[in-house]
Amino acid sequence: MNYQKLKGTVDILPEEASKWQHIEESARRILKSYQFKEIRTPLFEKFDLFARGVGETSDIVSKEMYDFKDKGNRHVALRPEGTAGIVRAYVENKLYGPEYHKPMKLYYFGPMFRYERPQSGRQRQFNQLGVEVFGSDNPSVDVETMLLAMDLFKHFDLTDLKLVINSLGSTESRKEYREALISFLEPHFDELSADSQTRLYKNPLRVLDSKDKKDKEIVKDAPSILEYLDEKSRIHFEKVQSMLNALGIPYEIDTNMVRGLDYYNDTIFEIISTHPKFGANATVCAGGRYDSLVKEVGGPDTPAFGFGFGLERLLLMLEQSQYDYPNVQTLDAYIVTIGDQVNEEATRLAYHLRKNGLSTEREFMNRKPGKQFKTADKLNAPFVFTLGEEELAERKVQVKHLETGLQKQINLDELYDDFSTVFNSVQTTLTKKEE
Ligand code: ATP
Ligand code: MG
């Protein structure tokens, strides 16, 4: 039997997993400073939630969903993104109630699933950090949330980045723009890619963000959506820009930028890596305002703003910048065992060391003492406890500080009875610098 992981999935091995932990912990600290709280929702939901929430014509729903009938004949789907499920949870748990602080600022970490062609920075199971802010249409929510996204990059000293913004206006004004765009594109119908031809009448805005070279050339001269904004959207977008300016945050406006998810209105943004080596999948973070989705999913009219942040792509950026990950897996003590008879005591000693806060490893393989000491050295253990059969008969253990080379015998039962006094004293003795 020869099993291999499915295409587009990865095993995150321990060394890699510690990088993920570091990223998560750092991000959680930043999110906390912005007063976001974590929410955890199921990895699968009703198919209809995504069809409705993300949009029937979006690539995500029409091409990329992992959906299936479960044994109870329910049509379910592995979540392709986080927002729909969180909006469902927000509505179902009535998080809009008067007992909750407004706006409600939520974040999540976790795997998402999309049936895509795997390549660098594109997997079928990938991980996102996402945030959602519910209950305020204040443009400073847009700005603060973009600032948070930028802070996540800054924390890791990443610089080859640009913030790109656009406004999609209101649903109403977008209808008008849609017509204008169709009129502009129709004369070019035959030159458009097959994908764009099918999109033209279903979702013409998506033609703007086609990756096809010819399409790109055509849409360069397309009418700008910003010309079609109504008064309210225009003012909103102006405020967003003036706040970004006032805060000294550089950004670009790309009037051809749209998002793959249908639920957005007004401000949308992407953070793109400009590193020359990053390749095609350079958007690391993307999001925007979605004021109608909560109502669409059955809740009260609630404005919202959020983003999804691709963690695999962040890791790729960190690799390129040769980011120095801190060593998280540190060891405080190693127990060297000599002889079969000390096996049980080694477990007891390890238990006591760990109970008192020392990260401890012990020998299990019965190797020669020299080999065991080499291992302790390789693992950077400051202290080695050596249990030998003769010492054990006297209830003694040898403690050695590897850096100073000093060692001392101590009584095991005294150590167990009053760990901190005994250990502190031996620590002081062994780490003392020579006069
Ligand atoms: P793309 O245009 O690259 O397909 P998207 O518009 O589908 O991106 P979103 O749905 O906005 O992406 O998701 C937000 C972020 O999640 C993306 O910017 C990216 O960093 C990440 N992401 C999306 N799809 C994948 C994937 N298949 N593998 C890895 N990361 C992904
Ligand atoms: Mg995509």
Side-chain angles (χ1 to χ4, degrees):
M1 204 79 68
N2 186 4
Y3 291 115
Q4 282 170 344
K5 59 186 175 300
L6 287 171
K7 222 172 133 177
T9 66
V10 296
D11 298 316
I12 300 177
L13 304 179
E15 200 183 321
E16 194 70 7
S18 73
K19 297 180 181 172
W20 282 85
Q21 285 173 11
H22 172 66
I23 288 172
E24 257 193 54
E25 280 160 19
S26 310
R28 281 181 200 278
R29 261 198 315 275
I30 298 166
L31 287 157
K32 207 170 164 190
S33 76
Y34 276 79
Q35 283 293 307
F36 278 76
K37 300 208 167 88
E38 188 180 9
I39 183 165
R40 301 188 187 197
T41 63
L43 295 195
F44 60 103
E45 301 265 2
K46 276 189 186 151
F47 173 87
D48 289 345
L49 174 69
F50 300 115
R52 197 87 193 275
V54 181
E56 219 105 35
T57 60
S58 64
D59 281 356
I60 290 180
V61 171
S62 63
K63 296 187 194 155
E64 299 172 358
M65 287 262 265
Y66 273 94
D67 64 313
F68 55 96
K69 293 275 173 68
D70 75 1
K71 293 193 196 314
N73 208 32
R74 296 171 198 90
H75 193 184
V76 301
L78 301 184
R79 64 180 187 193
E81 55 95 55
T83 303
I86 292 184
V87 170
R88 197 257 323 126
Y90 178 81
V91 173
E92 187 171 343
N93 297 287
K94 298 193 171 59
L95 300 183
Y96 47 77
E99 67 271 41
Y100 295 107
H101 176 74
K102 275 194 187 56
M104 174 154 286
K105 305 204 267 191
L106 301 172
Y107 78 86
Y108 58 88
F109 273 102
M112 305 295 160
F113 306 86
R114 296 185 194 177
Y115 194 78
E116 301 201 69
R117 198 165 61 81
Q119 48 193 286
S120 168
R122 195 173 293 283
Q123 294 169 191
R124 292 184 173 170
Q125 176 175 335
F126 63 99
N127 289 276
Q128 278 185 347
L129 150 66
V131 311
E132 319 291 349
V133 181
F134 293 108
S136 167
D137 60 6
N138 187 335
S140 48
V141 164
D142 309 22
V143 173
E144 184 179 283
T145 311
M146 291 191 274
L147 201 60
L148 161 63
M150 294 300 282
D151 266 1
L152 291 166
F153 290 100
K154 276 204 199 115
H155 177 83
F156 299 104
D157 300 321
L158 291 168
T159 45
D160 297 318
L161 290 165
K162 62 177 179 186
L163 169 65
V164 183
I165 63 171
N166 191 20
S167 173
L168 294 179
S170 65
T171 318
E172 276 311 303
S173 66
R174 201 150 66 232
K175 269 187 200 141
E176 226 179 287
Y177 175 66
R178 198 175 169 248
E179 294 312 315
L181 188 59
I182 293 176
S183 309
F184 168 82
L185 290 171
E186 262 173 343
H188 300 282
F189 187 86
D190 295 334
E191 305 156 63
L192 288 173
S193 68
D195 258 355
S196 290
Q197 287 181 346
T198 45
R199 278 179 185 145
L200 181 57
Y201 297 102
K202 276 201 227 152
N203 196 347
L205 269 72
R206 289 308 310 274
V207 177
L208 293 175
D209 112 305
S210 165
K211 301 205 161 101
D212 181 273
K213 228 173 156 187
K214 193 94 185 281
D215 290 351
K216 278 187 169 170
E217 204 52 46
I218 295 168
V219 301
K220 255 190 193 156
D221 303 317
S224 160
I225 192 163
L226 299 181
E227 306 289 324
Y228 288 79
L229 298 186
D230 58 27
E231 180 76 356
K232 194 166 166 249
S233 292
R234 196 177 51 72
I235 293 171
H236 187 95
F237 197 47
E238 271 167 15
K239 283 189 178 155
V240 166
Q241 289 172 66
S242 70
M243 277 187 249
L244 288 172
N245 292 337
L247 290 164
I249 300 163
Y251 62 91
E252 285 172 22
I253 297 176
D254 177 357
T255 57
N256 278 354
M257 184 173 77
V258 297
R259 301 283 322 123
L261 292 69
D262 285 350
Y263 50 61
Y264 288 110
N265 64 277
D266 288 308
T267 320
I268 56 167
F269 76 101
E270 289 190 3
I271 300 173
I272 300 171
S273 168
T274 53
H275 195 286
K277 285 211 193 121
F278 213 79
N281 304 315
T283 301
V284 186
C285 175
R289 182 162 278 288
Y290 53 97
D291 292 340
S292 50
L293 187 61
V294 175
K295 197 168 182 197
E296 185 77 21
V297 172
D301 225 339
T302 307
F305 193 96
F307 66 69
F309 195 108
L311 295 173
E312 279 77 10
R313 294 188 193 177
L314 175 64
L315 261 101
L316 282 173
M317 285 187 78
L318 293 176
E319 216 167 276
Q320 267 152 13
S321 73
Q322 295 178 337
Y323 180 75
D324 203 6
Y325 287 93
N327 182 12
V328 284
Q329 199 57 27
T330 55
L331 185 65
D332 299 315
Y334 194 90
I335 300 171
V336 166
T337 65
I338 306 170
D340 283 340
Q341 283 166 40
V342 304
N343 197 21
E344 181 190 308
E345 193 62 35
T347 302
R348 185 173 298 116
L349 176 58
Y351 173 79
H352 279 277
L353 294 174
R354 290 172 184 146
K355 198 170 75 176
N356 286 283
L358 272 70
S359 172
T360 302
E361 184 55 294
R362 55 153 288 187
E363 173 70 11
F364 285 106
M365 313 307 289
N366 254 332
R367 293 171 305 161
K368 296 214 169 72
K371 283 236 157 101
Q372 298 187 42
F373 268 93
K374 266 200 187 124
T375 301
D377 201 36
K378 206 171 118 199
L379 296 174
N380 265 323
F383 291 98
V384 174
F385 288 69
T386 304
L387 279 172
E389 290 177 352
E390 279 164 38
E391 286 112 321
L392 183 59
E394 296 171 33
R395 304 294 301 151
K396 295 264 171 63
V397 63
Q398 185 82 17
V399 189
K400 182 173 182 182
H401 187 250
L402 288 189
E403 206 184 300
T404 59
L406 299 175
Q407 46 190 331
K408 194 180 177 215
Q409 231 179 29
I410 58 169
N411 184 285
L412 277 168
D413 299 310
E414 285 170 16
L415 180 70
Y416 299 162
D417 283 348
D418 188 0
F419 188 92
S420 54
T421 310
V422 176
F423 185 71
N424 287 344
S425 139
V426 74
Q427 189 171 21
T428 313
T429 317
L430 299 186
T431 56
K432 216 169 24 203
K433 287 265 175 331
E434 298 266 348
E435 297 294 309

